[in-house]
Amino acid sequence: MLRAMNDRAALELLVAHGPLTRTRLGELTGLSKPTASQLLTRLEAAGLVRTTGNVTGRPGPNAQLYEINPAAAHVAALSVDQEGITAAVADITGRILGEHRVNADATAESVRNRTGELVAEAVDGALAAAGLGRGELRQTVIGTPGALDPRTGVLRYAPHLPGWQSRTMRDELAEVLGTPLVIENDVNLAAVAEQHHGTAQDFDDFALVWADEGVGAAIVLGGTLLRGATGGAGEIGYMPLPGAPLARGDDSAARPDAGGGFQKLVGSPAVVKLAREHGIEAPTAPEALATALRTPGAGDAVLTELARRLATGLASVVAVVDPELVVLSGQVAQAGGERLRELVEAEMTGLALPRPLLRISAIEGDPILIGALQTALADARHTVFDTA
């Protein structure tokens, strides 16, 4: 057991630091040189590490460098939205080897019964780009709107993804792909990405608020995601707020455009409508906000009203959770940028007693896909790095 613990510690250090010499690995683990040598020999024989050149430019013999063997395992990460599925395949170090996008309207009749086929197509496309086969995958994580109810296995809070509503969907997809499978809420995965690679790296208590086509939040307390009894923690798109229609009962679950108060105020369609009311015509929220940022008068009015709406919703979250940090993410927040953040921060004054730090997401690329990849890697390494 002690040997297995040392093996895992060494592997985690190689993941975190990159290539290390035997001496440096011994210093970081506290192991003697002979023990570190035995450990590396054992891990190399198991195919978990490999040599990757030497350290040069120093007195004495050149020290050999060791790194994680990228081929030790591979994982797949997927991001699902109403227009299609994006898949990425990475090696155990986290380097993305291939990506593929399958476009498919989730509400189309021809798509509803083809979920497994579409997921397989996306994964196979990414594997082909990476030059790999399904048998080389160790773990798959899929990010979707809504959340799986842990009691029933049903995907809740995602009426716009009718093909994902089967109680046995997770098992069906795991069988199709031939790997262990996790289906996770997309905003939760965005928070995972922020926690490991973005603004929230140094925070154990934070909330990520996602404003895009849909609106949601991820709550992290003590470094752990809060999911709730039915997986619905953070579904603030349904949160009733003054000035917005309410989504009630079965009707809210059946209508793809349902989202309750907050989503009706700050989701992408609401931003386009708000801009139009002030004479700014744009087909998408990012374009509307880009125009508002460079349009004195009308643009200022759009940004001020949007900031007021965001601050009203955020105040409810902050009053209940009291996070140290709130991260604004999604297309609406990204497009509004620092100007929108400043306005929201000003509007928050007096709305809630706690005053958390307010930041715009620092993630480059698709945070949902990045979070899914991080989760898949953590799960795969837990298994692969266990030499017991």
Side-chain angles (χ1 to χ4, degrees), residues 164-199:
W164 290 78
Q165 305 304 320
S166 168
R167 291 176 180 270
T168 59
M169 179 58 64
R170 179 167 48 192
D171 292 338
E172 291 169 9
L173 294 179
E175 184 175 355
V176 166
L177 298 176
T179 73
L181 177 70
V182 173
I183 299 178
E184 176 64 277
N185 172 260
D186 53 0
V187 181
N188 281 350
L189 291 176
V192 170
E194 208 70 48
Q195 196 173 19
H196 287 85
H197 305 289
T199 303

Side-chain angles (χ1 to χ4, degrees), residues 53-105:
N54 300 287
V55 176
T56 59
R58 297 192 300 185
N62 294 335
Q64 202 162 41
L65 286 166
Y66 294 85
E67 67 176 3
I68 296 290
N69 180 7
H74 299 89
V75 300
L78 293 88
S79 174
V80 178
D81 56 61
Q82 195 166 346
E83 282 76 45
I85 302 171
T86 301
V89 170
D91 62 34
I92 196 66
T93 70
R95 184 169 65 97
I96 294 177
L97 305 176
E99 292 189 55
H100 187 69
R101 170 79 176 175
V102 174
N103 294 313
D105 183 349

Side-chain angles (χ1 to χ4, degrees), residues 16-388:
H17 295 275
L20 296 170
T21 64
R22 180 200 62 183
T23 300
R24 182 56 180 153
L25 190 62
E27 291 172 351
L28 292 172
T29 58
L31 299 175
S32 66
K33 288 184 179 180
T35 302
S37 294
Q38 293 170 7
L39 178 150
L40 287 169
T41 300
R42 185 168 61 248
L43 295 179
E44 190 172 14
L48 294 176
V49 303
R50 67 180 186 182
T51 57
T52 178
N54 300 287
V55 176
T56 59
R58 297 192 300 185
N62 294 335
Q64 202 162 41
L65 286 166
Y66 294 85
E67 67 176 3
I68 296 290
N69 180 7
H74 299 89
V75 300
L78 293 88
S79 174
V80 178
D81 56 61
Q82 195 166 346
E83 282 76 45
I85 302 171
T86 301
V89 170
D91 62 34
I92 196 66
T93 70
R95 184 169 65 97
I96 294 177
L97 305 176
E99 292 189 55
H100 187 69
R101 170 79 176 175
V102 174
N103 294 313
D105 183 349
T107 59
E109 289 294 333
S110 60
V111 169
R112 295 189 180 205
N113 298 318
R114 297 178 54 226
T115 302
E117 180 183 333
L118 294 170
V119 167
E121 183 181 342
V123 172
D124 287 343
L127 285 169
L132 299 170
R134 282 194 201 173
E136 295 173 89
L137 282 181
R138 183 60 69 105
Q139 178 75 32
T140 302
V141 173
I142 302 177
T144 72
L148 281 185
D149 188 325
R151 301 174 301 183
T152 65
V154 173
L155 185 70
R156 306 187 67 194
Y157 314 104
H160 56 299
L161 297 178
W164 290 78
Q165 305 304 320
S166 168
R167 291 176 180 270
T168 59
M169 179 58 64
R170 179 167 48 192
D171 292 338
E172 291 169 9
L173 294 179
E175 184 175 355
V176 166
L177 298 176
T179 73
L181 177 70
V182 173
I183 299 178
E184 176 64 277
N185 172 260
D186 53 0
V187 181
N188 281 350
L189 291 176
V192 170
E194 208 70 48
Q195 196 173 19
H196 287 85
H197 305 289
T199 303
Q201 288 183 72
D202 298 324
F203 295 85
D204 289 330
D205 299 282
F206 72 95
L208 180 139
V209 174
W210 180 268
D212 207 293
E213 289 295 324
V215 174
I219 310 298
V220 177
L221 299 176
T224 302
L225 276 166
L226 177 67
R227 289 186 168 82
T230 66
E235 291 292 341
I236 60 173
Y238 295 86
M239 186 167 61
L241 289 176
L246 302 178
R248 293 184 180 275
D250 294 338
D251 183 52
S252 68
R255 296 195 337 265
D257 64 341
F262 198 31
Q263 182 160 307
K264 296 295 185 182
L265 292 177
V266 300
S268 292
V271 173
V272 171
K273 180 181 178 182
L274 174 63
R276 187 179 301 121
E277 291 171 354
H278 288 83
I280 297 176
E281 294 289 337
T284 68
E287 291 173 278
L289 290 173
T291 302
L293 286 168
R294 60 175 183 266
T295 306
D300 295 333
V302 170
L303 292 166
T304 299
E305 173 59 18
L306 178 58
R308 184 191 68 78
R309 297 179 181 184
L310 281 166
T312 302
L314 290 180
S316 297
V317 175
V318 168
V320 173
V321 180
D322 189 18
E324 187 178 359
L325 168 74
V326 173
V327 180
L328 297 177
S329 190
Q331 284 192 342
V332 170
Q334 296 283 6
E338 187 61 21
R339 172 83 182 284
L340 179 62
R341 187 204 68 80
E342 291 174 353
L343 289 170
V344 173
E345 189 172 57
E347 289 286 343
M348 287 283 289
T349 303
L351 287 179
L353 288 178
R355 292 300 304 274
L357 296 171
L358 186 64
R359 299 288 184 265
I360 297 291
S361 170
I363 296 294
E364 295 184 5
D366 181 350
I368 299 167
L369 200 62
I370 293 170
L373 178 61
Q374 183 65 44
T375 303
L377 287 169
D379 291 347
R381 288 168 182 164
H382 179 73
T383 302
V384 174
F385 290 175
D386 184 358
T387 61

